[in-house]
Amino acid sequence: MTTVRELAEIWAELLGMDPGAIDEDASFLRLGGDSVLAVRMSALVRRRLSVELALSDVTVEITLSGLADLVARRGRDGAAARALPVDIEHRADPDAPFPLMPLQQGYFVGQHDGWELSYDSAHFYADMALTGVDAEEAEETLTDALHRLALHQPTLRARITPDGMQYVLPPDAPGAIPRPRVLDLRAADDTDVRAALEAVRAEMATTGPNPLTGPGLDVRLSLLPGGRGRLHTAMSLISMDGWSATVLNRELLTLAADWNAVLAPLEVDFGDYVTSVGRLRRTELWAADRDWWWERLDDAPSPPALPLRTDPRDVAPTLMDTREARLDAARWTALREQCAAHEVTPSAAMLTAFAVVLARWAGHRRMLLNTLQLNRLPLHPDIHRTIGAFASTMLVPVALGTGRTFAELAAAQQRTFGEHAAHNLVSGVEVSRELARRRGTTRPVAPVVFQSTLGMDAAIGERQARSAGPLGTLDFDDFYHQLRTPQVALEARFWEMGEEMAVAFSLVAELFEPREVDAAFGGLVALIETLADGAGWEREIDLPAASEPDGTGGGSVLSGGGPARGDAVRGGGDETAGPPRDELEQRIALLWEEILDVPVLDRATPFFTLGGDSLLAVRALARLAKDVGVAVRVRRFLDAPTVAGLAAAVREQGFGG
């Protein structure tokens, strides 16, 4: 079989096409591909053709003939042209602890109240209506399916240690297997049913599963009159990402639909992936990506200067507010076709639309956005079927030009996004830490987030089945969800729900005027509608004249336009430079030296300047609490992250008094 024929079959598998219908000059993008599918394509090429491709090589614009030429060159170059300089390896001890990924670390610190806009649990909650439920069989079916799934997917048995490591419990360990809870409301009247469901929803949305103390997954089933029901799931973001949530739902319902169903074995697990990716940090390729990012940080823009009602530091949210809309199946199909015709991915188009709305809201055209990436490096073909917290973030600058059509803006943004995504071995969390260090702040540097999982269903494979055996049939039109992510003021999310596209704002309501949020979300939906119709692509986009924020008004906190409360030391202690002054400061300095492996000679040198990060800060505070018997909150430490400041915080708790 020729290389072109083999590649055509891979494309056909990913795109749901007949291999013979794929023209060699057609681009992956024009045929319906996107960046998510491109990553999976790399994994399939690696497995079937024994050729590794660089992530920067496999762009969505590549043609079949271009890919065949690239595979031929890489095949001739052999090992000298390795795309990723690591192979995935099985851990010698599957039960041994392994590190948290960077984004997991951020969520972990957030659960310790380490950031402004923090929550005691970072998690995603959803519930969906069921019809035709067999109430006599449903509980046993769900329990059995969840048990078998936890045997198949080790991450469902994962736990987090107090110092920020993760490990997997053996299946027979007490409490290792998540167990569902069932609420029987079949005999209740409508009023009692509504009250009971609201109570379950409020509890699960505000008190998420905590892998520090138990499973990172909470599954419940409400049995309702008339053969109806609701399936409730809450997933810890420390344990699972959005891709994993989709895998979990599909596999759980597959097992529920058929007692005899057997899932294809997994040759790797999340721990194998994490330890293998960890070795990337010792490679020249990782260092090159780091240098690429570091060279651009001094010119990085600020986040959008959205008007705020209050300083985020003064807010203690319990839930994120939500605005949501759907694009029906016909219009979603039309939007995809329009994107392909203009040679941009749906995700790039939605990122551009969100940026346009933000520019109009903030009054400036240049801004820094945080994007959530389904960043599963193609180290093994089973990675896309594995549950774990693979996701990463990536900072993306936006610079919208005036006098441009939407098609021109989207094409430019796709090029920018692709350029940055080609250097994704260094995570956005690590880049954000360095940017915060350079800007001298402990506040979030990119609190406005874009997330798109459009194309994920195709990348995973088969679409979500609607029938789940005794659990009944899923009703995608009756779906509720809540998101809680630390450090995020506003997040725009785009995903597929059945045959439709869903778009939502998740935001901290206390920060924004509701009318402004409604106007921005309405403007986004209206813009998307014009793109689906086709009329919006060639229309010149009306944008503010200002490129940068003016640094005034309530938006200065989000825009980073000047020091905000919390950027300077607020501890009230003497921050004069010099060596540690007393026994307590000396104990703190010695502890930092042990954790950071550097000399700590100046009581006024910030922890983060010495090489510390948020996870190490949590560990240092835990060690200090054990040593001196005083617990200092992470956020209080961030107010004055120096030896002198921490000593002052300890004394505030009564130490030595």
Side-chain angles (χ1 to χ4, degrees):
M1 184 183 296
T2 66
T3 299
V4 171
R5 175 80 177 275
E6 290 179 289
L7 292 173
E9 291 193 351
I10 291 174
W11 280 26
E13 178 181 330
L14 294 172
L15 301 172
M17 299 177 63
D18 178 356
I22 298 178
D23 190 294
E24 292 186 25
D25 294 327
S27 70
F28 191 62
L29 173 59
R30 185 172 285 276
L31 293 173
D34 56 31
S35 56
V36 179
L37 284 172
V39 173
R40 190 173 171 207
M41 180 220 300
S42 297
L44 291 175
V45 169
R46 180 178 184 176
R47 164 170 276 192
R48 297 181 187 177
L49 280 72
S50 300
V51 173
E52 297 191 55
L53 302 175
L55 297 179
S56 57
D57 286 337
V58 188
T59 64
V60 291
E61 294 88 359
I62 198 166
T63 64
L64 186 64
S65 60
L67 180 60
D69 290 342
L70 177 63
V71 167
R73 292 198 305 273
R74 288 289 183 259
R76 288 194 301 269
D77 294 340
R82 289 184 57 82
L84 290 171
V86 296
D87 285 315
I88 198 161
E89 296 178 1
H90 292 290
R91 289 167 294 142
D93 181 3
D95 298 328
F98 54 97
L100 296 176
M101 296 281 276
L103 187 56
Q104 288 181 289
Q105 295 174 18
Y107 292 143
F108 175 80
V109 174
Q111 289 196 179
H112 286 77
D113 195 32
W115 313 114
E116 59 188 53
L117 307 180
S118 286
Y119 307 89
D120 56 9
S121 61
H123 74 282
F124 177 76
Y125 167 76
D127 61 60
M128 181 179 291
L130 303 170
T131 58
V133 178
D134 183 344
E136 303 305 320
E137 299 285 343
E139 180 172 2
E140 184 179 359
T141 296
L142 183 57
T143 301
D144 174 77
L146 191 54
H147 183 94
R148 287 192 286 157
L149 185 58
L151 297 179
H152 176 68
Q153 295 280 3
T155 296
L156 299 190
R157 310 191 305 272
R159 299 293 187 271
I160 310 294
T161 66
D163 63 346
M165 297 289 284
Q166 56 191 323
Y167 64 99
V168 175
L169 289 170
D172 57 354
I177 305 292
R179 292 188 59 84
R181 284 185 270 178
V182 176
L183 178 63
D184 192 343
L185 299 171
R186 286 177 291 171
D189 60 28
D190 289 346
T191 300
D192 289 341
V193 165
R194 283 195 298 271
L197 290 179
E198 287 175 3
V200 171
R201 183 174 287 173
E203 177 194 351
M204 296 184 71
T206 58
T207 307
N210 186 357
L212 277 79
T213 58
L217 174 68
D218 184 2
V219 178
R220 305 186 195 183
L221 175 66
S222 295
L223 299 175
L224 307 179
R228 296 178 296 115
R230 291 201 80 86
L231 183 63
H232 312 261
T233 56
M235 306 176 188
S236 169
L237 299 180
I238 303 180
S239 299
M240 286 170 271
D241 59 13
W243 184 297
S244 298
T246 300
V247 172
L248 185 147
N249 286 327
R250 291 187 182 196
E251 294 189 341
L252 179 65
L253 295 174
T254 294
L255 295 172
D258 183 359
W259 291 87
N260 298 312
V262 177
L263 301 173
L266 294 170
E267 297 179 5
V268 295
D269 64 22
F270 181 57
D272 296 334
Y273 179 89
V274 172
T275 53
S276 298
V277 167
R279 300 199 310 276
L280 279 172
R281 297 180 64 88
R282 302 191 293 270
T283 67
E284 293 181 1
L285 193 59
W286 186 92
D289 274 8
R290 179 201 58 202
D291 293 345
W292 187 92
W293 283 102
W294 270 215
E295 290 170 2
R296 287 157 177 77
L297 287 185
D298 289 339
D299 190 47
S302 299
L306 302 177
L308 301 182
R309 293 196 293 178
T310 187
D311 189 325
R313 192 181 178 87
D314 297 328
V315 172
T318 56
L319 278 178
M320 301 185 83
D321 202 7
T322 303
R323 307 285 193 281
E324 184 179 345
R326 299 274 187 96
L327 206 64
D328 66 32
R331 296 182 70 73
W332 172 219
T333 298
L335 178 59
R336 293 198 305 271
E337 291 173 351
Q338 288 290 339
C339 289
H342 289 87
E343 297 194 338
V344 297
T345 66
S347 291
M350 296 304 97
L351 173 58
T352 307
F354 182 45
V356 167
V357 168
L358 290 173
R360 292 169 175 170
W361 189 1
H364 63 96
R365 295 178 283 106
R366 188 170 180 265
M367 65 191 73
L368 185 68
L369 296 183
N370 207 345
T371 66
L372 192 65
Q373 300 297 306
L374 304 173
N375 192 31
R376 297 184 176 220
L377 299 179
L379 298 180
H380 192 282
D382 283 350
I383 293 299
H384 76 286
R385 296 193 296 113
T386 303
I387 290 177
F390 294 86
S392 181
T393 58
M394 183 175 74
L395 300 186
V396 177
V398 172
L400 300 173
T402 56
R404 306 284 185 85
T405 66
F406 185 88
E408 291 171 332
L409 293 176
Q413 194 57 53
Q414 179 163 284
R415 288 192 296 271
T416 298
F417 186 91
E419 180 186 19
H420 286 67
H423 302 277
N424 67 343
L425 298 186
V426 177
S427 75
V429 172
E430 295 165 296
V431 175
S432 296
R433 287 173 183 163
E434 175 63 14
L435 183 57
R437 187 192 67 78
R438 295 189 187 191
R439 292 182 174 175
T441 182
T442 58
R443 309 194 74 171
V445 296
V448 179
V449 179
F450 170 84
Q451 178 188 169
S452 170
T453 58
L454 300 176
M456 184 174 66
D457 284 347
I460 291 176
E462 300 176 0
R463 286 189 172 273
Q464 171 73 64
R466 289 181 176 269
S467 177
L471 296 183
T473 300
L474 283 68
D475 183 358
F476 290 121
D477 293 327
D478 191 352
F479 174 76
Y480 174 87
H481 58 95
Q482 282 282 353
L483 178 68
R484 300 210 310 178
T485 52
Q487 301 191 81
V488 174
L490 169 67
E491 181 169 330
R493 296 186 288 125
F494 300 82
W495 73 98
E496 292 170 276
M497 177 62 67
E499 302 298 324
E500 300 179 335
M501 185 190 86
V503 52
F505 274 5
S506 293
L507 62 136
V508 178
E510 295 90 335
L511 296 179
F512 304 102
E513 291 291 346
R515 287 176 297 180
E516 293 184 359
V517 175
D518 290 340
F521 187 70
L524 177 62
V525 173
L527 178 54
I528 293 170
E529 291 282 359
T530 69
L531 298 177
D533 290 339
W537 290 89
E538 303 306 327
R539 184 180 301 162
E540 185 175 307
I541 298 297
D542 182 30
L543 291 168
S547 175
E548 307 288 346
D550 62 12
T552 63
S556 62
V557 175
L558 277 187
S559 71
R565 208 156 44 85
D567 290 345
V569 172
R570 301 196 310 153
D574 180 1
E575 287 286 312
T576 305
R581 292 182 175 178
D582 56 26
E583 181 184 357
L584 177 58
E585 291 190 4
Q586 290 170 0
R587 291 168 75 173
I588 293 172
L590 289 173
L591 173 61
W592 286 16
E593 288 184 357
E594 182 179 343
I595 289 176
L596 301 176
D597 195 28
V598 296
V600 180
L601 306 177
D602 189 338
R603 63 193 296 272
T605 301
F607 183 81
F608 303 100
T609 301
L610 294 168
D613 57 37
S614 54
L615 179 60
L616 292 176
V618 171
R619 291 176 179 171
L621 293 178
R623 290 274 302 276
L624 184 64
K626 185 176 181 180
D627 186 26
V628 304
V630 173
V632 176
R633 295 172 60 217
V634 177
R635 198 183 302 192
R636 173 62 184 85
F637 169 68
L638 294 179
D639 288 339
T642 64
V643 168
L646 182 52
V650 170
R651 293 190 183 95
E652 287 174 4
Q653 304 291 326
F655 178 83

